[in-house]
């Protein structure tokens, strides 16, 4: 096995799954791990997650609500390739976290419920992928249930996402009449058996579509219908073109049933064959733009997520570092670009699906967890020289602002620390108005406040109240320093600072922000902030 950083990076496939809640992301994740040999039986992901949660008892809310709030990563070695599956939280209130996770992915699998097609959250996540030029592989799930006409589903992909769908397989029926699918390239038919995914025998072997064995699986009408459809889709659609896929114009389409472990092996093979290996990353070095290639010798990466208190016995945080170049080895010293601080990474964690293990070495595309005491922040760039800075991760303008107070006024100082901790993790956004002593917290969804209250209570023993905020919208101010300062001085009552001490305008409405922005053309009012 070759071990040069370039060769190792070339066999990495780092991807995320995007979907609307309930389309089957969790089930597919589990079955991809099964297909990749990382787990032995379906049901293990949930069981393991459950065990982990009872063990560490963190994020009670996650358990109570039965939703996955925190993103994690799972790594498995299969077929000569190293797959890194980034798990994104499905609930819409956590979209900001999902957006950040997508900055660490090189490809995405878009799961559609065959009966529902493209749903609102699918569309939102797709737009982020497009913004970041992440190629998309489509998996049409739940074919074992009554589905929409596959032609209509493809039309929807094409009209709603402006993406050319290129089916690699074509299904024979759906629901109770689901018989399997035809591999449009090899003309092999893959029969579907109505058995559970845990069944040892699985699904029957593929047979030639034009051979005699097909009669076991399709009656003459079904066969001729499938033949007609396959011909139609081949003639009407554009053939799959890898280049077009990598450029974000085309999506290969797979069909299947995650629950019944059908079509999942084909999807995994497709990810292996078509999803790109890590690409060179844009960065700056000493003020000049540069590209960092996965095969470069210098080890580098960026933090896309920080998670605190995975184990309540330790006040540790885990920073998730997506490596962009070099060969990382355990014990190595890495420097943060913004602070210049060096740290020895003695206990990095690799998140193998089976268990956590200490990472001995890792390459571009891999994600390692670095335990630390709060020095690493989302958006930090780490490298051996400390000179590289990757184009930052965006912070999104929060959609809901609240004033936060602690019931016991003696604990006000404590509250500041706790909120700063949560803000560093990206759980909330924190703004400190220039006038007054209240804190304003921002979130993209209501549920985020519940998570915040829960964590402030459990981890910091703080009983807090969220109250209506006098502000409705936040915008980061960007421009020449003198212009920004001039603006700040004239609008002190509506000015605040974020956790990095950057000036933020807190408006009462978007109308007010537009009104003010028109009068100060030299200052830009940004909805996102790139952190570096
Ligand atoms: P999510 O992570 O995208 O939210 O979806 P999840 O995998 O949890 O799946 C949502 C529901 O859809 C689950 O049913 C799951 O069993 C079902 N499902 C997923 N894939 C398939 C499929 O290919 N075929 C069929 N028929 N169902 C599928 P549930 O009843 O909500 O949960 P559970 O009690 O089965 O766990």
């Amino acid at each position: 096995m070759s071990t040069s950083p370039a060769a190792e990076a070339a066999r990495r496939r780092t991807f995320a799954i995007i979907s609307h809640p309930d389309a089957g992301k969790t089930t597919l994740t589990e079955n991809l791990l099964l297909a990749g040999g990382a787990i032995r039986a379906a049901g293990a992901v949930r069981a393991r997650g459950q065990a982990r949660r009872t063990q560490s008892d963190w994020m009670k809310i996650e358990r109570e609500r039965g939703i996955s709030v925190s993103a994690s990563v799972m790594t498995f070695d299969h077929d000569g390739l190293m797959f890194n599956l980034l798990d994104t939280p499905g609930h819409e209130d956590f979209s900001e976290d999902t957006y950040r996770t997508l900055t660490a992915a090189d490809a995405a699998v878009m799961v559609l419920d065959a009966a529902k097609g493209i749903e609102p959250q699918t569309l939102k996540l797709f737009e982020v992928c497009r913004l970041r030029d992440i190629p998309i592989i489509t998996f049409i799930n739940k074919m074992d249930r009554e589905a929409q006409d596959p032609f209509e589903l493809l039309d929807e992909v094409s009209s709603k996402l402006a993406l050319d769908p290129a089916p690699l397989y074509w299904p024979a029926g759906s629901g109770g009449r689901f018989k399997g699918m035809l591999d449009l390239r090899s003309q092999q038919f893959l029969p579907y058996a109505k058995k559970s995914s845990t069944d040892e025998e699985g699904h029957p072997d593929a047979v030639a579509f034009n051979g005699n064995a097909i009669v076991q699986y399709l009656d003459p009408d079904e066969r001729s219908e499938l033949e007609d459809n396959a011909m139609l889709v081949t003639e009407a659609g554009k053939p799959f073109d890898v280049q077009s896929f990598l450029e974000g114009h085309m999506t290969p389409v797979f069909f299947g049933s995650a629950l019944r472990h059908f079509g999942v092996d084909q999807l995994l093979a497709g990810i292996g064959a078509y999803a790109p290996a890590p690409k060179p990353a844009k960065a700056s070095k000493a003020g000049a733009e540069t590209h960092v290639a996965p095969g470069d010798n210098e080890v580098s990466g960026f933090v896309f997520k920080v998670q605190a208190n995975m184990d309540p016995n330790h006040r540790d945080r885990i920073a998730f570092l997506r490596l962009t170049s070099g060969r990382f080895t355990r014990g190595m010293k890495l420097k943060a670009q913004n602070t210049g601080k060096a740290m020895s990474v003695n206990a990095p964690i690799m998140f193998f699906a089976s268990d956590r293990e200490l990472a001995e070495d890792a390459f571009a595309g891999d994600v390692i967890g670095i335990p630390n005491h709060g020095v690493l922040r989302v958006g930090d760039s780490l490298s051996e020289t400390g000179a590289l800075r990757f184009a930052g991760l965006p912070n999104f303008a929060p959609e809901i602002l609240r004033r936060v107070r602690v019931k016991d006024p003696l604990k006000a100082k404590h509250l500041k620390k706790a909120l700063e901790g949560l803000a560093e993790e990206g759980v909330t956004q924190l703004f400190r108005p220039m006038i007054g002593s209240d804190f304003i917290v921002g979130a993209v969804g209501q549920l985020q406040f519940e998570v915040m209250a829960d964590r402030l209570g459990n981890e910091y023993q703080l009983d807090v109240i969220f109250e209506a905020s006098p502000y409705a919208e936040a915008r980061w101010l960007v421009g020449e320093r003198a212009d920004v300062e001039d603006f700040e001085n004239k609008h002190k009552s509506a000015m605040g600072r974020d956790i990095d001490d950057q000036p933020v305008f807190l408006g009462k409405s978007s109308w007010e922000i537009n009104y003010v922005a028109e009068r100060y053309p030299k200052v830009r009012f940004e909805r996102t902030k790139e952190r570096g």
Side-chain angles (χ1 to χ4, degrees):
M1 190 165 51
S2 61
T3 52
S4 76
E8 281 292 340
R11 68 180 197 102
R12 260 57 185 179
R13 297 291 180 274
T14 303
F15 69 104
I17 301 180
I18 59 170
S19 72
H20 191 83
D22 264 359
K25 186 157 59 74
T26 312
T27 313
L28 182 62
T29 298
E30 201 166 33
N31 279 274
L32 280 171
L33 294 177
L34 197 63
I39 52 171
R40 255 177 246 114
V45 171
R46 244 172 226 173
R48 188 181 152 259
Q50 204 62 45
R52 191 194 65 212
R53 278 171 223 142
T54 18
Q55 208 177 35
S56 64
D57 197 25
W58 80 293
M59 287 220 163
K60 230 171 51 198
I61 195 154
E62 189 172 284
R63 220 171 46 220
E64 283 165 7
R65 292 213 170 223
I67 55 168
S68 166
V69 177
S70 52
S72 59
V73 52
M74 281 174 275
T75 297
F76 56 99
D77 201 334
H78 173 70
D79 227 3
L81 299 172
M82 202 62 148
F83 293 86
N84 293 308
L85 169 50
L86 306 176
D87 184 19
T88 51
H91 198 283
E92 63 180 318
D93 281 356
F94 291 87
S95 43
E96 193 178 336
D97 206 1
T98 308
Y99 294 149
R100 292 214 192 98
T101 296
L102 287 174
T103 62
D106 296 320
V109 172
M110 175 172 72
V111 184
L112 303 181
D113 182 327
K116 297 185 175 155
I118 292 168
E119 298 176 85
Q121 187 78 348
T122 336
L123 195 61
K124 225 168 142 182
L125 290 165
F126 168 78
E127 278 162 7
V128 180
C129 291
R130 173 156 279 175
L131 208 65
R132 305 215 155 248
D133 295 324
I134 300 173
I136 311 257
I137 295 171
T138 303
F139 183 73
I140 300 185
N141 191 29
K142 305 197 186 181
M143 289 306 296
D144 59 307
R145 287 212 190 139
E146 216 46 55
Q148 282 180 31
D149 178 351
F151 285 103
E152 276 170 25
L153 287 165
L154 297 191
D155 269 352
E156 217 185 329
V157 169
S158 148
S159 63
K160 286 197 179 157
L161 309 181
L163 200 57
D164 286 330
L168 303 183
Y169 295 84
W170 199 257
S174 71
R177 291 169 298 103
F178 185 48
K179 295 295 168 69
M181 60 188 186
L182 177 64
D183 180 336
L184 294 171
R185 293 171 301 175
S186 70
Q187 293 295 307
Q188 291 277 305
F189 182 75
L190 290 86
Y192 167 77
K194 285 178 202 161
K195 289 180 190 160
S196 79
S197 58
T198 47
D199 219 310
E200 283 288 307
E201 289 159 48
H203 301 281
D205 289 340
V207 296
F209 188 53
N210 294 319
N212 295 330
I214 196 77
V215 296
Q216 292 176 61
Y217 304 111
L218 297 176
D219 65 33
D221 284 349
E222 288 168 335
R223 195 192 169 286
S224 79
E225 191 188 343
L226 180 56
E227 188 169 25
D228 289 350
N229 286 340
M231 194 152 18
L232 186 62
V233 74
T234 313
E235 280 172 5
K238 293 183 189 166
F240 178 55
D241 174 47
V242 178
Q243 199 51 35
S244 181
F245 156 68
L246 293 175
E247 287 166 7
H249 306 307
M250 183 173 267
T251 179
V253 179
F254 295 81
F255 293 86
S257 163
L259 189 67
R260 303 280 170 228
H261 199 88
F262 184 79
V264 180
D265 297 347
Q266 288 70 24
L267 173 66
L268 185 61
I271 299 168
Y274 309 124
K279 282 187 296 202
K282 256 194 213 156
S284 65
K285 191 173 183 171
E289 269 209 16
T290 179
H291 279 88
V292 176
D296 285 358
N297 276 331
E298 182 178 3
V299 173
S300 67
F302 59 88
V303 176
F304 65 95
K305 182 180 172 62
V306 173
Q307 204 162 55
N309 304 339
M310 281 171 105
D311 178 351
N313 298 321
H314 300 106
R315 278 272 149 179
D316 272 4
R317 285 152 201 241
I318 308 269
F320 292 79
L321 183 78
R322 148 85 202 223
L323 290 168
T324 38
S325 63
R327 173 205 302 276
F328 168 85
T329 51
R330 189 155 76 84
M332 189 167 234
K333 268 203 171 80
L334 292 179
K335 250 187 207 171
Q337 183 272 335
N338 48 354
T339 58
K341 270 191 203 148
M343 60 187 307
S344 295
V345 187
N346 294 320
I349 299 165
M350 280 272 254
F351 300 86
F352 286 100
S354 45
D355 210 342
R356 283 202 207 168
E357 289 176 26
L358 275 189
E360 288 303 330
D361 55 10
F363 299 87
D366 288 339
V367 172
I368 57 173
I370 306 180
N372 69 100
H373 297 289
V375 290
L376 292 178
R377 307 260 294 267
V378 169
D380 281 358
S381 301
L382 299 187
S383 58
E384 289 176 87
T385 58
L388 290 172
R389 174 178 162 167
F390 294 98
L393 302 169
N395 263 355
F396 290 82
E399 286 168 23
I400 315 172
L401 297 177
R402 291 273 182 274
R403 193 204 317 247
V404 57
R405 272 199 310 116
V406 64
K407 285 186 187 158
D408 178 356
L410 293 177
K411 288 195 172 165
K413 226 180 178 171
H414 204 53
L415 176 68
K416 175 171 186 281
K417 267 212 131 104
L419 288 174
E420 280 169 358
L422 294 184
E424 278 166 17
E425 255 190 78
V427 171
T428 179
Q429 297 199 24
L430 181 63
F431 305 109
R432 177 110 215 225
M434 277 167 85
I435 294 172
S437 58
D438 288 327
F439 289 99
I440 303 289
V441 287
V444 292
Q446 186 60 41
L447 190 58
Q448 237 172 305
F449 291 107
E450 287 177 39
V451 171
M452 238 184 282
D454 196 64
R455 293 195 49 185
L456 287 169
N458 285 340
E459 294 164 23
Y460 299 92
Q461 286 73 49
L462 289 170
D463 206 356
V464 298
I465 313 167
F466 293 104
E467 295 174 337
S469 147
Y471 313 109
E473 308 238 353
R475 295 285 186 279
W476 282 277
L477 300 188
V478 181
E480 294 290 332
R481 200 177 156 158
D483 296 326
V484 173
E485 280 177 2
D486 173 53
F487 180 87
E488 278 191 276
N489 287 332
K490 289 180 177 141
H491 298 85
K492 279 197 176 122
S493 64
M495 285 303 306
R497 294 286 170 133
D498 73 2
I499 182 160
D500 298 317
D501 215 28
Q502 294 210 9
V504 176
F505 179 72
L506 297 165
K508 290 188 178 64
S509 63
S510 52
W511 180 86
E512 185 197 6
I513 291 173
N514 291 339
Y515 179 84
V516 172
E518 266 177 33
R519 273 148 194 81
Y520 289 84
K522 286 184 184 159
V523 178
R524 294 202 310 278
F525 294 71
E526 305 268 336
R527 279 176 173 276
T528 59
K529 179 181 77 159
E530 295 264 324
R531 290 184 55 173

